[in-house]
C-alpha cells in the first residue's frame, strides 16, 4: 500500500513539474486559462492512468506504455488527444466508463496489442 501511495504522489508531483509550480492542474495556463471542464477532464484522465498502473488486471507492457507516455508528454497533451478521440467517436466512448477511457489512453500512448502479441509469439520459439 505504501508503494501505491508513493506511485500516486510521484505521478502527481511529476505532473506539477510538467505543468508548472503550485497546484498541478489549476496553476499553469499553457495556452491561456483552462476552463473548469478542461481541469476536470485532465484530473479524470490522470485518475484513469494511475488506476491502470495500480491494477493487477493491466499487463506490464501496457503499464510500460502508460508510464512512457506520461514521461514523454504533458498531461495537457494527453488530455487534448483524449478529448479529440472522444469527440471523433460520439456515443462510442463514455467518460463515465474508466475501462473505455483506459483503452483509448493506451492506444493514444502507442501501445498496439496486435504488435505485442506477434512479438510474444515470435519470442516463444
Amino acid at each position: 500500500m505504501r508503494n501505491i501511495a508513493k506511485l500516486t504522489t510521484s505521478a502527481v508531483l511529476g505532473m506539477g513539474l510538467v505543468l508548472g509550480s503550485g497546484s498541478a492542474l489549476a496553476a499553469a495556463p499553457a495556452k491561456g486559462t483552462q476552463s473548469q471542464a478542461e481541469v476536470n477532464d485532465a484530473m479524470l484522465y490522470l485518475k484513469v492512468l494511475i488506476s491502470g498502473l495500480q491494477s493487477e488486471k493491466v499487463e506490464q507492457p501496457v503499464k510500460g506504455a502508460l508510464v512512457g507516455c506520461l514521461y514523454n508528454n504533458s498531461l495537457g497533451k494527453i488530455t487534448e488527444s483524449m478529448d479529440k478521440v472522444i469527440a471523433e467517436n460520439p456515443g462510442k466512448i463514455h467518460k463515465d466508463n474508466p475501462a473505455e477511457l483506459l483503452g483509448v489512453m493506451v492506444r493514444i500512448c502507442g501501445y498496439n496489442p496486435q504488435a505485442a502479441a506477434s512479438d510474444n509469439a515470435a519470442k516463444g520459439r
Side-chain angles (χ1 to χ4, degrees):
M1 188 65 156
R2 190 175 250 172
N3 289 336
I4 293 172
K6 286 181 183 178
L7 175 64
T8 304
T9 302
S10 297
V12 171
L13 290 175
M15 289 299 97
L17 293 174
V18 170
L19 295 174
S21 62
S23 177
L25 295 174
K31 299 178 190 171
T33 305
Q34 289 119 348
S35 70
Q36 188 60 43
E38 290 170 324
V39 171
N40 289 343
D41 285 349
M43 290 185 339
L44 171 63
Y45 302 146
L46 182 59
K47 287 178 187 178
V48 168
L49 188 143
I50 291 170
S51 294
L53 293 175
Q54 293 174 340
S55 175
E56 293 179 8
K57 295 179 182 178
V58 176
E59 296 177 358
Q60 205 58 39
V62 175
K63 290 179 181 183
L66 291 171
V67 169
C69 188
L70 186 59
Y71 184 79
N72 291 312
N73 299 284
S74 70
L75 182 57
K77 185 174 180 182
I78 294 169
T79 299
E80 287 176 18
S81 297
M82 290 288 293
D83 287 342
K84 181 179 177 187
V85 171
I86 291 169
E88 291 172 350
N89 295 281
K92 294 181 182 177
I93 303 164
H94 305 91
K95 287 186 179 181
D96 61 348
N97 187 329
E100 288 178 359
L101 293 177
L102 184 61
V104 170
M105 188 176 295
V106 167
R107 294 301 298 245
I108 285 172
C109 290
Y111 181 76
N112 184 346
Q114 285 79 25
S118 66
D119 284 347
N120 287 337
K123 291 178 185 175
R125 297 215 178 232

